[in-house]
């Protein structure tokens, strides 16, 4: 594995291998020497709490040097392009660049202009592969398996890189997915990824896991639902719509009272905070896999 840009870059064996090494890493909170002397650069051109903090901590736990740049407050605010930002920071010879960007394909551009291993931390609505891996990890830790499970993903699928990555990842490990939401938020032809769709919230009834998505208003150019109140009334995940024992997940940030009822988020069947913990172990596993065996990189001019 040279880069991790899309779940499509991975085979089932690689996914299983990453989950195994994440499970080993989750058992210790010691600092490990694996990436000593290597620089991990984190470039976030969109807001982030969980993804950026866990990548940063993951790199530190593996003894890497870490440098984090957020678009706001950097020269990106002065109009510097992604290409020039990457050419500039590449002079410090990073071994890995973790990048989140609103444009689809930004990770490929970073890979073209640096010799580093690139990890996609979310590009537009396309892919967010480490989120999908940490979700698989969380499901397996909680339910003991992945193969044969049924996961219902509910909400704004249209604008969700999380949904696209997760459907592919669940398909790789033999789980079944149903996408549920208003017709305007279910992309046409998405079944080609190997999932079913439904516009009825009742379709979550027989799922082992109900995976809730945020309304991603920052990516909406027009009104896709009449109002958030109406959305909550028809598709919001409430205690009344769940069976006891059904697990609930959400990548965060959650909007209580919109896509998820606060009582659901705080219930014992919610795995939302387990997902955060899994993010650290899985991102350590990914960085280790990409970098541990790599020779030092030459600087790209
Ligand atoms: C997601 C993202 O940024 O794609 N959040 C995350 O990484 N935990 C989902 C979202 O913003 O709704």
């Amino acid at each position: 594995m040279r880069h991790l840009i899309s779940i499509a870059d991975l085979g089932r064996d690689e996914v299983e291998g990453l989950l195994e090494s994440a499970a080993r890493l989750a058992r210790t909170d010691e600092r490990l020497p694996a990436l000593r002397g290597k620089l991990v650069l984190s470039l976030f051109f969109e807001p982030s709490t969980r993804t950026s903090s866990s990548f940063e901590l993951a790199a530190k736990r593996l003894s890497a040097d870490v440098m984090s740049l957020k678009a706001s407050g950097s020269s990106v605010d002065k109009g510097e392009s992604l290409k020039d930002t990457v050419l500039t920071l590449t002079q410090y010879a990073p071994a890995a660049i973790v990048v989140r960007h609103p444009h689809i394909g930004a990770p490929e551009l970073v890979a073209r202009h640096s010799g580093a291993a690139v990890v996609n931390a979310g590009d537009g609505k396309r892919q967010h592969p480490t989120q999908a891996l940490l979700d698989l990890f969380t499901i397996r830790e909680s339910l003991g398996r992945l193969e044969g499970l049924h996961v219902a993903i509910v909400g704004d699928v249209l604008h969700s890189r999380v949904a696209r990555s997760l459907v592919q990842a669940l398909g790789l490990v033999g789980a079944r997915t149903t996408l549920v939401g208003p017709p305007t938020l279910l992309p046409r032809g998405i079944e080609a990824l190997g999932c079913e769709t439904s516009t009825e919230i009742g379709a979550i009834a027989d799922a082992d896991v109900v995976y809730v998505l945020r309304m991603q208003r920052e990516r909406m150019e027009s009104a896709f639902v009449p109002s958030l109140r109406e959305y909550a009334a028809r598709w919001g995940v409430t205690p009344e719509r769940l069976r006891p024992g059904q697990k609930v997940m959400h990548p965060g940030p959650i909007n209580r009272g919109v896509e998820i009822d606060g009582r659901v988020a705080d219930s014992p069947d919610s795995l939302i905070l387990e997902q955060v913990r899994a993010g650290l172990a899985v991102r350590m596993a990914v960085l280790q896999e990409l970098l541990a065996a790599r020779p030092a990189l030459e600087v790209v001019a």
Side-chain angles (χ1 to χ4, degrees):
M1 186 164 84
R2 166 136 179 74
H3 304 292
L4 179 55
I5 293 180
S6 165
I7 288 293
D9 298 341
L10 300 172
R12 183 172 186 159
D13 289 352
E14 281 170 300
V15 169
E16 306 274 0
L18 286 167
L19 297 183
E20 287 307 318
S21 75
R24 276 194 304 277
L25 291 162
R27 286 196 279 274
T28 169
D29 47 17
E30 274 168 45
R31 186 179 282 265
L32 303 168
L35 305 187
R36 186 171 292 150
K38 295 187 174 163
L39 173 63
V40 174
L41 191 65
S42 145
L43 292 180
F44 277 73
F45 294 85
E46 277 188 356
S48 172
T49 297
R50 281 148 287 266
T51 309
S52 60
S53 61
S54 59
F55 265 116
E56 200 168 308
L57 186 56
K60 287 179 177 162
R61 287 273 168 87
L62 295 170
S63 304
D65 293 329
V66 183
M67 203 160 65
S68 302
L69 192 88
K70 305 228 180 307
S72 81
S74 76
S75 287
V76 173
D77 276 349
K78 301 179 188 167
E80 188 158 55
S81 68
L82 177 60
K83 174 179 167 179
D84 287 316
T85 304
V86 170
L87 285 176
T88 301
L89 296 171
T90 289
Q91 302 315 306
Y92 307 133
I97 301 181
V98 177
V99 61
R100 167 171 289 187
H101 198 281
H103 292 157
I104 288 173
E108 282 90 345
L109 187 142
V110 173
R112 272 201 304 282
H113 296 293
S114 78
V118 175
V119 187
N120 183 2
D123 64 329
K125 61 182 188 183
R126 185 175 65 153
Q127 278 281 314
H128 191 356
T130 59
Q131 179 72 43
L133 292 171
L134 78 85
D135 291 333
L136 294 187
F137 182 89
T138 306
I139 296 171
R140 203 175 63 173
E141 289 285 297
S142 168
L143 297 178
R145 66 191 170 103
L146 291 163
E147 175 108 45
L149 290 180
H150 180 205
V151 178
I153 303 181
V154 188
D156 179 5
V157 177
L158 183 65
H159 300 98
S160 176
R161 52 199 176 204
V162 171
R164 282 178 184 74
S165 309
L166 186 55
V167 169
Q168 283 179 297
L170 287 167
L172 263 186
V173 297
R176 187 159 73 84
T177 314
T178 305
L179 303 174
V180 184
T184 47
L185 292 175
L186 292 175
R188 205 167 303 219
I190 187 99
E191 295 85 357
L193 289 181
C195 56
E196 291 159 44
T197 56
S198 172
T199 55
E200 297 301 324
I201 189 66
I204 68 174
D206 80 330
D208 301 292
V209 176
V210 176
Y211 193 102
V212 192
L213 299 171
R214 184 175 67 87
M215 297 296 272
Q216 289 151 87
R217 277 171 287 173
E218 72 277 20
R219 278 196 264 284
M220 294 184 190
E221 284 124 30
S222 56
F224 284 84
V225 288
S227 71
L228 290 183
R229 258 175 83 131
E230 197 154 320
Y231 177 83
R234 290 201 56 186
W235 287 282
V237 176
T238 59
E240 298 72 33
R241 288 176 170 159
L242 293 168
R243 280 185 288 107
Q246 235 175 348
K247 299 296 176 195
V248 177
M249 297 172 70
H250 191 306
I254 66 173
N255 287 307
R256 289 173 186 258
V258 183
E259 75 274 8
I260 188 167
D261 187 302
R263 289 168 298 167
V264 171
D266 297 332
S267 87
D269 286 322
S270 161
L271 302 178
I272 296 172
L273 298 176
E274 275 86 344
Q275 287 172 272
V276 178
R277 276 201 303 281
L280 175 60
V282 163
R283 289 174 174 131
M284 285 175 77
V286 166
L287 290 173
Q288 195 173 34
E289 173 66 28
L290 283 169
L291 299 185
R294 264 180 178 234
L297 289 159
E298 64 297 355
V299 173
V300 177

